[in-house]
Amino acid sequence: MKVAIYARVSTHDKGQDPDLQLKPLREYCKQRDFEVSGEFVDIGVSGSKDRRPELDKLMDLAKKRLIDCVIVWKLDRFARSLTFFVNALDEFEKLGISFISYQENLDFTSSAGRLMAHIISAMACFERSLIAERVKAGIANARSKGKQIGRKPIDPILTEKIIELRNQNFSFGKISKQLKLSVGVVHKTLKNLKPKDAENSVF
């Protein structure tokens, strides 16, 4: 089995040594007669980031199906986000790649490990549902108190200027530059005009 070892340390100036993770993983691979295709180590990179230089290289190797398994010293070295971890596991499964976490003794190549993966996935789904419910409740509560949710409406004077410039055949880009607005705001403003406002507009 061809495996890729992944390790990560948050800082490189506080005595954190990636070899503390790499040595036991190398020994583990040796004991199980795994062929190590590469070692990928991110130093000074937070685990909360989905994009990391060495992790990106590992994922590229996985997508090319040049490895059969990914091994990490501990789950939090690979991911801090449950959602990211579940998405990565799902991608590995589609690619036919196994995942092993040494410290937690989690081997997703086994039937028990696959069951654990399903449990983790269900937990992530539940977490997303809870977050969505809290966000909806927060928005509803804010609106009940008269608070503005989302972007504030554009000033009516600016709306009139946008219409005027558009009627002079100014492009969206030129209008945005002249009024110092984004092209998206200009486009949305014109799109959302009421019929009576649009009657005299040529756009």
Side-chain angles (χ1 to χ4, degrees):
M1 182 181 283
K2 293 182 179 180
V3 303
I5 292 175
Y6 179 76
R8 180 185 64 81
V9 291
S10 301
T11 59
H12 56 269
D13 59 350
K14 294 183 179 179
Q16 293 190 22
D17 188 348
D19 273 343
L20 294 175
Q21 300 173 41
L22 295 172
K23 286 181 179 179
L25 293 180
R26 289 168 186 154
E27 184 60 30
Y28 177 82
C29 291
K30 185 177 179 181
Q31 290 175 357
R32 294 196 59 175
D33 200 26
F34 290 160
E35 178 187 339
V36 179
S37 296
E39 294 182 357
F40 302 85
V41 184
D42 278 310
I43 298 176
V45 182
S46 171
S48 62
K49 293 183 178 180
D50 294 348
R51 299 298 303 272
R52 295 167 238 157
E54 291 300 303
L55 179 60
D56 288 349
K57 291 179 184 178
L58 183 150
M59 296 304 290
D60 183 60
L61 205 65
K63 289 173 183 176
K64 292 176 181 176
R65 306 198 179 194
L66 297 176
I67 55 175
D68 304 305
C69 182
V70 173
I71 300 180
V72 300
W73 184 68
K74 199 175 180 182
L75 284 179
D76 68 359
R77 298 298 87 195
F78 182 76
R80 287 288 182 86
S81 162
L82 183 59
T83 300
F84 172 78
F85 178 61
V86 169
N87 289 340
L89 276 186
D90 184 57
E91 186 165 3
F92 288 150
E93 185 177 0
K94 290 176 182 176
L95 294 169
I97 295 172
S98 304
F99 184 90
I100 296 173
S101 178
Y102 177 79
Q103 279 289 88
E104 286 91 358
N105 197 27
L106 289 175
D107 185 346
F108 292 95
T109 63
S110 66
S111 56
R114 286 191 289 272
L115 174 61
M116 179 60 70
H118 287 303
I119 293 173
I120 292 173
S121 179
M123 289 172 61
C125 184
F126 179 63
E127 181 186 52
R128 287 194 295 271
S129 297
L130 287 178
I131 292 172
E133 287 176 6
R134 286 199 295 268
V135 170
K136 288 180 181 177
I139 291 174
N141 182 54
R143 281 177 174 164
S144 69
K145 295 178 179 178
K147 293 184 180 179
Q148 173 70 36
I149 303 299
R151 183 174 295 183
K152 292 182 179 179
I154 190 170
D155 190 300
I157 296 176
L158 275 177
T159 299
E160 290 178 7
K161 289 183 178 179
I162 290 173
I163 295 172
E164 181 183 343
L165 291 174
R166 186 60 177 162
N167 285 337
Q168 294 175 23
N169 293 321
F170 276 59
S171 66
F172 289 166
K174 287 183 178 180
I175 295 172
S176 69
K177 286 181 181 179
Q178 184 156 331
L179 300 181
K180 296 181 179 179
L181 298 170
S182 70
V183 174
V185 169
V186 173
H187 184 273
K188 188 175 181 180
T189 301
L190 291 171
K191 184 179 179 181
N192 294 338
L193 284 178
K194 295 179 181 179
K196 65 178 183 178
D197 294 325
E199 285 179 359
N200 298 320
S201 178
V202 298
F203 69 92

